[in-house]
């Protein structure tokens, strides 16, 4: 009896040590892998803070000797990224407002009203997700050209005021998860449909609205093909377009990669900032909307 | 409400007020429908102007010669004929794009899945590792392209410099080499793709797998792989399907990454379909041929999506409640 107990204890402690070693190895593996994922990012930040010659030093050094914060000023002013940044900010800001508001109203219509052809229209709306951009972009170009909108921000902003398929889908799913009794009791109290939207649906939809806003922000801020086609003079370039332009124009033999890296980081930081600000909402929105299935 | 509607008309006609009540009901329904249409009207208008209209217009353009400055003239199937039988670049770019899709989509999905498995286990500093994995996916496409151009720079880039300093070994020319350009782009796309929202969705899916199933598996003595194969995978198969469908649609449209890093080169090694279409429509302004290229891509995407959905009946498993 006693022997078997001590035996069990021994195996138990052996089991625990083995598990401990396993866990440590696993931690090491996870850490190594995730650090190697982060590395290019760290390298870009480090390069953006080096001098033009230090950036090409051999053997490479991980950190700049003296951080050159002035690189960012130079990229912002001399490379004109400041202008591109504000262009992007205007386009993204106005698109974001349009996309969130219009998609929300449309999603409410799909979620809370009965009308003939609703399911068919919704499927039609979802089919927009499947459509390659190329299949509409040529007629859109000729149309915007006829309207005199080429080289303005309008082609990038106006279409967002008519809802986006992804946002409508996500918001509809979310609105449907709000109990219908909320609406009904408000209706009995004499509230209008619009009041229900603003007073009942909106406060209950915040995670979904945040998700849609983040995705909308990223789509608009990162957009490349649309601005490339619709905008032709450099003064109206958005940030990604400006960055591409900068890459093409500084091939003059001088080491300027540090400026490009600063530019890439200027383009990336706002996305990080938005994400950090709204990440809790965002993940909740993704999970609860049921896109997983 | 339903009982009132199913009342025989002769009977309802005899009761005073019933007709009025009935028409009042349908008036409410009518008002609701009208309001519903009003709420979705932004989308309807937008769909007609920015989606359906252009869709039909480009179908029409695809049968015309349309050099932008003159009106389109009907040429029948000539554009399609050119694409299939005369344009060598059409086939070249199609195969490049297909190769891109069949490598990046499975690798990306498998990568995200294993990253989610890794990060779902109890491990110290789990949140930190998750952020490290997720950060690259937030990098805007053009910024990622610029960043990797620098990292993979053949002469002074950190990858080749490190290879030289540590192993005395001359690395490949990466994006500047015809044979390494495509693999380089695949690496970049995996860097931004693995830790993306897809990984978060997988994580959410993994957390939704009931613990009892794993416990039951433990009792039956299944190993690690059997647990994934027979418990986890079936339960998250709807997510897999969605990622597969959207992933392929996205991959076939690849543009910005190649346009910024290689411009399609060297020697057409990364000249994807989207680049060919862009050059045709917006550099040569051959709108008719560009539209034909767009419609061919659209048809391929439709067919591939329908095939995937019909095949999915064999492998996608929906748990009792579809909502869960």
């Amino acid at each position: 009896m006693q022997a078997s107990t001590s035996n069990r204890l021994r195996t138990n402690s052996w089991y625990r040590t083995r598990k401990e070693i396993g866990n440590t190895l696993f931690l090491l593996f996870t850490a190594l892998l995730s650090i190697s994922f982060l590395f290019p990012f760290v390298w870009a930040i480090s390069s953006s803070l080096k001098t033009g010659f230090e950036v090409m030093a051999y053997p490479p050094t991980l950190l700049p000797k003296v951080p050159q914060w002035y690189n960012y000023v130079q990229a912002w002013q001399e490379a004109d990224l400041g202008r591109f940044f504000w262009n992007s900010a205007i386009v993204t800001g106005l698109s974001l407002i349009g996309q969130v508001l219009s998609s929300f109203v449309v999603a409410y219509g799909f979620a809370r009203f009965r009308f003939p052809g609703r399911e068919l229209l919704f499927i039609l709306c979802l089919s927009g997700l499947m459509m390659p951009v190329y299949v509409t972009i040529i007629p859109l170009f000729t149309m915007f050209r006829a309207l005199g909108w080429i080289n303005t921000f309008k082609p990038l902003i106006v279409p967002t005021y008519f809802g986006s398929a992804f946002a409508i889908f996500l918001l509809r799913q979310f609105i449907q998860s709000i109990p219908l009794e909320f609406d009904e009791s408000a209706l009995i109290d004499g509230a209008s449909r619009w009041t229900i939207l603003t007073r009942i649906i909106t406060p209950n939809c915040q995670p979904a609205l945040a998700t849609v806003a983040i995705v909308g922000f990223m789509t608009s801020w990162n957009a490349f093909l649309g601005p490339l086609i619709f905008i032709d003079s450099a003064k109206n370039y958005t940030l990604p377009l400006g960055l591409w332009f900068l890459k093409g124009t500084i091939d003059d033999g001088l080491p300027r990669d540090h400026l490009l890296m600063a530019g890439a980081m200027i383009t990336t930081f706002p996305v990080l900032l938005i994400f950090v600000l709204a990440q809790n909402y965002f993940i909740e929105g993704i999970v609860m909307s049921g896109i997983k299935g | 409400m339903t009982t009132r509607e199913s009342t025989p008309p002769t009977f309802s006609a005899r009761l005073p007020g019933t007709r009025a009540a009935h028409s009042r009901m349908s008036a409410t329904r009518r008002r609701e429908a009208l309001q519903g249409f009003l709420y979705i009207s932004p989308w309807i208008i937008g769909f007609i102007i920015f989606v359906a209209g252009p869709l039909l217009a480009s179908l029409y353009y695809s049968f015309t010669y349309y050099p932008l400055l003159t009106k389109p003239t009907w040429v029948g199937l000539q554009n399609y004929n050119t694409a299939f039988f005369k344009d060598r670049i059409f086939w070249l770019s199609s195969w490049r794009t297909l190769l891109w899709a069949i490598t990046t989509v499975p690798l990306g999905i498998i990568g995200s899945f294993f990253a989610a498995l890794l990060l779902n286990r109890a491990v110290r500093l789990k949140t930190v590792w998750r952020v490290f994995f997720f950060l690259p996916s937030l990098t805007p496409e053009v910024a990622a392209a610029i960043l990797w151009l620098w990292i993979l720079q053949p002469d002074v880039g950190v990858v080749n410099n490190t290879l030289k300093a540590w192993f005395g070994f001359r690395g490949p020319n990466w994006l500047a080499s015809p044979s390494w350009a495509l693999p380089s782009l695949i690496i970049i796309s995996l860097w931004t793709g693995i830790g993306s929202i897809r990984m978060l969705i997988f994580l959410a899916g993994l957390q939704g797998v009931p613990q009892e199933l794993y416990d039951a598996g433990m009792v039956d003595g299944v190993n690690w792989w059997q647990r994934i194969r027979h418990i986890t995978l079936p339960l998250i198969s709807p997510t897999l399907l969605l990622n597969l469908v959207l992933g392929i649609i996205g991959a076939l449209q690849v543009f910005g990454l190649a346009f910024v890093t290689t411009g399609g080169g060297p020697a057409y090694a990364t000249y994807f379909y989207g680049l060919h279409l862009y050059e045709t429509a917006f550099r040569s302004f051959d709108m008719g041929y560009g539209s034909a290229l767009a419609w061919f891509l659209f048809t391929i995407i439709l067919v591939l999506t329908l095939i995937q959905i019909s095949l999915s009946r064999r492998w996608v498993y929906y748990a009792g409640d579809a909502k869960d």
Side-chain angles (χ1 to χ4, degrees), chain A residues 64-82:
Chain A
K65 277 193 206 83
V66 183
Q68 306 288 317
W69 298 106
Y70 185 70
N71 288 350
Y72 280 81
V73 179
Q74 216 181 346
W76 186 267
Q77 289 174 346
E78 286 169 37
D80 229 7
L81 286 181

Side-chain angles (χ1 to χ4, degrees), chain B residues 71 96 123 146 203 225 247 281-282 318:
Chain B
K71 281 214 162 63
R96 284 280 134 184
V123 57
I146 300 274
L203 264 171
W225 172 245
F282 299 104
Y318 289 99

Side-chain angles (χ1 to χ4, degrees), chain B residues 71-313:
Chain B
K71 281 214 162 63
T73 44
W74 186 265
V75 293
L77 287 171
Q78 192 188 300
N79 288 325
Y80 292 96
N81 192 44
T82 309
F84 297 150
F85 303 109
K86 292 188 185 125
D87 184 0
R88 238 169 41 83
I89 305 296
F90 167 80
W91 288 113
L92 190 149
S93 62
S94 296
W95 292 124
R96 284 280 134 184
T97 310
L98 196 68
L99 190 59
W100 169 261
I102 58 179
T103 48
T104 54
V105 175
L107 285 177
I109 292 178
I110 293 169
S112 297
F113 179 67
F114 278 97
L117 274 183
L118 200 69
L119 298 173
N120 193 39
R121 265 186 61 157
V123 57
R124 251 162 287 167
L125 302 170
K126 190 158 68 175
T127 328
V128 176
W129 312 133
R130 282 188 188 178
V131 170
F132 283 11
F133 266 99
F134 188 65
L135 263 178
S137 77
L138 292 176
T139 320
E141 191 180 36
V142 177
I146 300 274
L147 189 161
W148 278 92
L149 262 178
W150 169 234
I151 286 176
L152 295 178
Q153 213 281 339
D155 303 317
V156 292
V158 63
V159 171
N160 277 4
N161 261 353
T162 309
L163 285 177
K164 195 161 80 178
W166 289 4
F167 308 106
F169 166 77
R170 172 88 174 87
N173 282 339
W174 300 109
L175 288 158
S177 142
S179 49
W180 277 94
L182 191 65
S184 305
L185 288 186
I186 293 172
I187 292 172
I188 304 174
S189 98
L190 292 179
W191 182 69
T192 55
I194 283 181
S196 61
I197 295 177
R198 189 170 53 201
M199 181 187 80
L200 297 183
I201 295 173
F202 278 140
L203 264 171
L206 286 175
Q207 279 157 9
V209 177
Q211 187 60 41
E212 301 94 83
L213 290 180
Y214 289 135
D215 294 343
M218 288 285 258
V219 172
D220 291 343
V222 298
N223 65 28
W224 175 80
W225 172 245
Q226 287 168 325
R227 206 167 63 208
I228 292 178
R229 173 68 192 82
H230 298 290
I231 301 175
T232 315
L233 278 181
L235 283 172
I236 63 159
S237 55
T239 317
L240 277 176
L241 176 68
L242 186 77
N243 276 312
L244 198 63
V245 171
L246 293 181
I248 288 176
I249 293 173
L252 293 178
Q253 299 183 61
V254 55
F255 178 80
L257 195 58
F259 187 80
V260 173
T261 51
T262 61
Y268 289 103
T270 55
Y271 201 76
F272 295 122
Y273 199 86
L275 276 90
H276 187 38
L277 203 154
Y278 172 80
E279 295 284 338
T280 304
F282 299 104
R283 288 279 168 87
S284 316
F285 292 107
D286 191 345
M287 298 303 191
Y289 189 47
S291 298
L293 291 178
W295 264 86
F296 177 71
L297 180 67
F298 186 35
T299 315
I300 294 290
I301 285 180
L302 270 181
V303 170
L304 283 180
T305 305
L306 289 178
I307 290 175
Q308 286 176 80
I309 289 174
S310 66
L311 283 181
S312 76
R313 292 205 193 99

Side-chain angles (χ1 to χ4, degrees), chain A residues 27 34 37 43 47 55 58 114 121 125 130 132-135 139 162 194 222 229 247 261 272 275 291-292, chain B residues 32 39 42-43 54-55 58 66 123 129 134-135 140 149-150 158 161 191 239 242 253 255 260 274 282 298 302:
Chain A
L27 175 69
S34 55
F37 251 77
W43 186 252
S47 300
V55 87
Y58 176 83
R114 282 163 300 176
L121 285 172
C125 174
M130 257 183 51
V133 283
Y134 303 113
V135 87
F162 297 88
W194 181 256
N222 300 354
I229 288 171
K247 177 209 156 232
M261 285 305 114
L272 297 187
F275 190 78
I291 339 180
K292 57 180 169 133
Chain B
E32 184 185 339
Y39 277 96
W43 171 74
L55 192 70
S58 72
Y66 183 19
V123 57
W129 312 133
F134 188 65
L135 263 178
L149 262 178
W150 169 234
V158 63
N161 261 353
W191 182 69
T239 317
L242 186 77
Q253 299 183 61
F255 178 80
V260 173
F282 299 104
F298 186 35
L302 270 181

Side-chain angles (χ1 to χ4, degrees), chain A residues 82-198:
Chain A
R83 173 199 286 277
F84 305 145
F85 185 93
W86 291 119
N87 287 344
S88 266
I90 292 169
V91 170
T92 303
L94 291 175
S95 310
L96 195 58
I97 295 171
Q99 201 193 334
V100 173
L101 289 184
S102 62
S103 303
F104 193 39
V105 168
V106 172
Y108 177 58
F110 273 123
R112 286 297 207 240
F113 293 85
R114 282 163 300 176
F115 50 85
R118 185 176 68 169
E119 303 311 313
L120 187 76
L121 285 172
F122 189 65
I123 290 172
L124 215 58
C125 174
L126 284 187
S127 70
L129 288 173
M130 257 183 51
M131 210 171 286
V133 283
Y134 303 113
V135 87
T136 51
I137 205 153
I138 291 171
L140 286 177
F141 176 77
T142 55
M143 181 172 89
F144 292 142
R145 194 168 160 273
L147 290 170
W149 284 10
I150 296 302
N151 209 16
T152 70
F153 297 151
K154 285 178 201 155
L156 307 177
I157 296 170
V158 175
T160 62
Y161 280 72
F162 297 88
S164 97
F166 171 75
I168 293 172
F169 167 72
L170 202 133
L171 287 168
R172 187 192 87 130
Q173 298 291 97
F174 210 88
I175 293 174
Q176 281 179 337
S177 73
I178 300 169
L180 201 58
E181 289 78 33
F182 288 12
D183 294 38
E184 279 162 359
S185 55
L187 269 180
I188 290 167
D189 290 345
S192 73
R193 293 285 198 164
W194 181 256
T195 315
I196 293 173
L197 176 63
T198 53

